[in-house]
Amino acid sequence: MALGFGTRSRKVDNTTQPITADNGLVTSVDPMDEKPAYPYDAESNEKGGKKLNRIAPLLHASDSDTDLSVGKQLELEATNSIKYRTCSWPKTAALLFSEYICLAIMSFPYSYSVLGLVPGLIVTVVVAFSVLYTSLIVWEFCLRHPELRDVCDVGQMLYFGWRWVWYFTAVLFILNNTFIQGLHVLTGAKYLNTMSNGAVCTVGFSAIWTVLSWVCSLPRTFSALSKLATFSAFFTFISVLLAAIFAGIESHPYGYNTGGTSGTLVGNPIVLVVATKGTGFVSGMNAFLNISYTFIGQITIPSFIAEMREPKDFPKALWAVTICEIIVFSLVGAIVYVYTGTQYNTAPAFGSLQEIYKKVAFSLMIPTLIFLGVLYASLSARFIFFRAFDGTRHKGNHTVLGWSAWAGILALLWILAFIIAEVIPFFSALLSLMSSLFDSFFGFIFWGTAYMRMRQADYGPGWITSRGVRSIWGFALNLFLILFGLFMLGGGTYATCESIVQNYDSIATGVFTCKSNAL
């Protein structure tokens, strides 16, 4: 798999000549092919790299918008006191690490307990590489269109400039981010309850965590947040590493019962190599969605690339993160599951550890519990703020109105997140719901479509067969991604809703409750 730019050539009368398309464009690299296959404008020699062949301009964009290269964007904000295109690829990698190396890793033991260890590990690797592949498609698409600011602009451009698609994507984008904020409010309350043994009403702990997160969301650039991202990813790694070590050295999991008939947790931990016969669709789908949620984060990529000084370097960050994901997720998930077993498993898996181990490992997760919600709040706030103040001095400078609006937008988003956390107070079910509703689009459907649109722009109406088997394989693979995304949306949402209903039936709790949700 090639990641750089280059040219492809062919032999003509014993000489080598570059291949050109009908529009006079030479070619660059296909993520699925070792040989280059994407056209770029050979006349362009911008600092950010050769410009790839475009799909179409945004419906609401002016001519100046569509010509807004990375170099021109850097020039335009040179005099601003707040500069946005400041991220290097290591800083972008730090943001990606903080997004993926997160609390959701501790849902993997639960997923493995449902799917079985071997199928669970296979799903982990397959999902990781599918996300890597689609992320490279996102990167290529953003290189073609440096004027894109976020995934909503991408959605409108993908679907023929239809304005309603922009609004539809905007709703999904805001909801996705707000649900993730809600997940971190829920988990923050879990942490405070766990450490204090339920000293305060759960809804009160949720409110405290909401206010704390709002304060931490106030920085306005990703470059500023990248420092906190590095801190967050480091402590998350230590937290999950300690959880795996503690699971191995403790005498028995939390809730261990030596035998008899009392209670539901009985006997030594049971490890399933494969799923047990009779594992239902609802539980199996929820286990898969928990794994998918942890890997799928393409929704943030256009926003990250939009603030990179050198967008062509993005794959360096992507490869580094993907390799670490596979190693950390698989090892932590497998080790914790093997030592805690099917019957003692909780989500997040900190609840499977003995009391002291649980509190130590869970405490090291605090930076991520705060930061990841902050990251997604910042994504939503900048989406709203940039459009409200585009073209004004409030966007790129320190003004009372600018900072007041920024703080107000964040406050509204965190209030919505607080409500979500109180209405769906189940960690695993909330992960699955986000995965089915949003990752179906932002993980698969959008990027299968993006591949097809770009190949059609490169090779014309006959692109499906223009490069022989390679074209047919690319079409088939990306059609499968689209269909699989639709299956996640339909089947996944059904399974998740069933799971939420079952949780409310089996756990005596309600919305906006004072009952402790400690692990």
Side-chain angles (χ1 to χ4, degrees):
M1 184 178 291
L3 296 176
F5 291 104
T7 58
R8 188 174 63 181
S9 60
R10 63 182 173 191
K11 290 287 185 179
V12 180
D13 297 330
N14 295 321
T15 62
T16 301
Q17 300 176 355
I19 293 178
T20 59
D22 293 338
N23 56 4
L25 300 178
V26 291
T27 60
S28 83
V29 191
D30 186 329
M32 290 185 59
D33 185 14
E34 293 181 358
K35 296 181 179 180
Y38 303 147
Y40 62 73
D41 183 356
E43 300 297 325
S44 175
N45 190 26
E46 300 168 2
K47 182 179 179 182
K50 307 267 188 188
K51 183 181 293 183
L52 293 165
N53 195 24
R54 289 180 173 277
I55 303 303
L58 289 172
L59 188 63
H60 59 78
S62 65
D63 290 339
S64 61
D65 288 333
T66 56
D67 290 332
L68 204 56
S69 67
V70 174
K72 291 179 181 177
Q73 290 178 40
L74 290 170
E75 290 175 11
L76 287 173
E77 69 175 20
T79 59
N80 289 348
S81 55
I82 300 176
K83 296 177 176 62
Y84 292 99
R85 272 205 180 269
T86 54
C87 274
S88 61
W89 80 259
K91 286 184 177 180
T92 304
L95 290 168
L96 288 171
F97 271 116
S98 68
E99 180 185 2
Y100 293 119
I101 309 299
C102 63
L103 177 66
I105 298 171
M106 299 308 290
S107 70
F108 275 62
Y110 157 76
S111 294
Y112 292 171
S113 73
V114 175
L115 299 174
L117 184 58
V118 172
L121 290 171
I122 292 172
V123 169
T124 299
V125 174
V126 170
V127 171
F129 279 104
S130 70
V131 170
L132 172 65
Y133 171 69
T134 53
S135 296
L136 290 172
I137 293 175
V138 182
W139 167 67
E140 184 205 341
F141 196 88
C142 290
L143 282 185
R144 293 179 184 233
H145 295 277
E147 74 276 11
L148 296 175
R149 291 174 288 187
D150 46 53
V151 75
C152 303
D153 286 346
V154 173
Q156 181 186 348
M157 188 174 289
L158 282 179
Y159 295 98
F160 313 102
W162 294 334
R163 188 59 172 162
W164 70 265
V165 177
W166 188 92
Y167 287 108
F168 174 74
T169 309
V171 170
L172 291 181
F173 179 69
I174 297 295
L175 285 176
N176 174 80
N177 297 348
T178 310
F179 266 73
I180 293 175
Q181 292 173 241
L183 177 70
H184 285 78
V185 171
L186 169 65
T187 313
K190 278 183 177 291
Y191 171 75
L192 294 175
N193 267 317
T194 299
M195 298 304 292
S196 68
N197 297 318
V200 175
C201 179
T202 293
V203 71
F205 274 144
S206 297
I208 292 170
W209 202 268
T210 300
V211 173
L212 175 64
S213 299
W214 172 76
V215 172
C216 293
S217 302
L218 292 175
R220 280 168 60 174
T221 67
F222 285 140
S223 181
L225 289 177
S226 67
K227 298 179 178 63
L228 183 57
T230 304
F231 183 75
S232 166
F234 173 76
F235 276 93
T236 300
F237 175 74
I238 298 300
S239 173
V240 298
L241 181 64
L242 283 178
I245 293 172
F246 291 156
I249 65 174
E250 66 182 1
S251 57
H252 52 74
Y254 181 75
Y256 176 75
N257 191 333
T258 56
T261 58
S262 62
T264 57
L265 307 181
V266 178
N268 292 323
I270 298 172
V271 178
L272 303 175
V273 177
V274 296
T276 58
K277 184 178 180 180
T279 299
F281 172 77
V282 171
S283 59
M285 191 66 184
N286 275 287
F288 167 78
L289 291 171
N290 272 226
I291 293 175
S292 298
Y293 167 83
T294 314
F295 280 105
I296 294 173
Q298 296 95 315
I299 188 174
T300 64
I301 290 176
S303 299
F304 290 165
I305 292 176
E307 293 203 16
M308 288 188 71
R309 183 171 289 273
E310 295 286 356
K312 63 185 177 62
D313 290 337
F314 177 75
K316 297 176 184 177
L318 186 64
W319 272 102
V321 171
T322 301
I323 292 170
C324 289
E325 283 179 317
I326 294 174
I327 295 172
V328 174
F329 295 2
S330 300
L331 285 178
V332 171
I335 292 171
V336 174
Y337 172 54
V338 165
Y339 283 102
T340 60
T342 301
Q343 70 271 48
Y344 302 106
N345 208 276
T346 64
F350 294 118
S352 304
L353 304 176
Q354 290 292 322
E355 196 72 22
I356 185 64
Y357 294 146
K358 175 197 311 180
K359 291 184 176 181
V360 170
F362 204 3
S363 293
L364 288 169
M365 190 65 72
I366 291 177
T368 290
L369 293 182
I370 296 172
F371 174 76
L372 202 52
V374 165
L375 175 64
Y376 281 92
S378 183
L379 284 168
S380 295
R382 73 204 314 105
F383 171 77
I384 299 168
F385 183 83
F386 283 6
R387 282 157 179 79
F389 292 98
D390 199 19
T392 71
R393 66 189 183 91
H394 305 293
K395 176 181 175 181
N397 295 282
H398 299 289
T399 66
V400 173
L401 178 59
W403 276 104
S404 298
W406 177 257
I409 292 167
L410 285 168
L412 177 60
L413 291 170
W414 279 111
I415 290 171
L416 292 174
F418 169 78
I419 293 171
I420 290 170
E422 296 306 305
V423 172
I424 311 176
F426 311 112
F427 179 82
S428 179
L430 192 50
L431 284 181
S432 297
L433 184 62
M434 289 186 289
S435 186
S436 60
L437 287 178
F438 310 122
D439 291 347
S440 53
F441 289 101
F442 299 130
F444 297 101
I445 297 173
F446 271 28
W447 316 125
T449 303
Y451 177 90
M452 294 182 182
R453 291 297 312 279
M454 289 190 292
R455 296 305 154 262
Q456 185 178 34
D458 295 345
Y459 300 104
W463 70 271
I464 296 177
T465 57
S466 62
R467 294 176 294 157
V469 174
R470 187 166 64 251
S471 290
I472 296 171
W473 164 246
F475 169 74
L477 175 60
N478 285 275
L479 178 61
F480 171 78
L481 290 176
I482 294 171
L483 295 176
F484 185 77
L486 292 172
F487 170 72
M488 277 183 66
L489 177 63
T493 302
Y494 164 77
T496 304
C497 290
E498 283 292 316
S499 176
I500 292 172
V501 171
Q502 291 172 11
N503 279 328
Y504 268 116
D505 289 341
S506 60
I507 302 173
T509 188
V511 300
F512 296 96
T513 181
C514 274
K515 182 179 179 181
S516 175
N517 63 353
L519 291 175

